[in-house]
Amino acid sequence: MPASILLVEDEALIRMMLVEMIEEAGHSVVAEAGDVKKGAALATNAEFDLAILDINVGGDTIEPIASAIAIRGKPFFFVSGYGSSGVPHAFRGTQVVRKPCLLSELQSAIETTLSQLRSNNLGPI
């Protein structure tokens, strides 16, 4: 089932590449941000099924955005060149896709996150 995705990534070219990959995987990016301020507003107010978050956004931590998404009960995972070593302490154990990533890796992370959501809710999104 296609998902609507919030994408927070500060590097414009990487963000464009991720949008293309997400769309190629059959999903849609319904909101995107390149900085923490806009990302925090979207995390709080936008309608989306899941979020994909860079860990380091313009030198700022993603933690406030991840916290806002978690409070809403929305699923998310990280994409990062740092791998799991950069994950904020409060979100250790959250899935991380290492950049640069292949379409298959991103698609797998999306599907895993969505299937966990469906299992927790015992139904479709």
Side-chain angles (χ1 to χ4, degrees):
M1 176 176 230
S4 58
I5 296 175
L6 164 63
L7 176 62
V8 180
E9 165 62 57
D10 61 333
E11 297 290 334
L13 290 175
I14 294 173
R15 192 169 59 247
M16 290 185 329
M17 178 193 70
L18 288 170
V19 167
E20 282 184 28
M21 293 170 77
I22 289 164
E23 291 173 349
E24 191 172 333
H27 307 288
S28 61
V29 175
V30 294
E32 60 182 270
D35 61 68
V36 169
K37 184 177 178 182
K38 183 176 180 186
L42 291 171
T44 303
N45 300 311
E47 287 303 317
F48 57 91
D49 296 320
L50 75 93
I52 300 174
L53 310 173
D54 189 5
I55 292 174
N56 181 333
V57 180
D60 293 321
T61 179
I62 196 71
E63 193 162 359
I65 296 170
S67 294
I69 293 168
I71 287 168
R72 290 182 67 188
K74 302 275 189 182
F76 63 91
F77 64 89
F78 298 111
V79 290
S80 176
Y82 299 105
S84 59
S85 67
V87 173
H89 184 71
F91 299 103
R92 298 268 182 223
T94 301
Q95 183 175 8
V96 180
V97 174
R98 189 169 184 97
K99 293 188 291 189
C101 63
L102 300 173
L103 172 61
S104 60
E105 294 167 325
L106 187 64
Q107 189 166 12
S108 175
I110 292 169
E111 295 307 320
T112 299
T113 303
L114 291 175
S115 67
Q116 289 170 347
L117 177 64
R118 288 183 196 113
S119 296
N120 293 341
N121 291 338
L122 300 174
I125 313 176

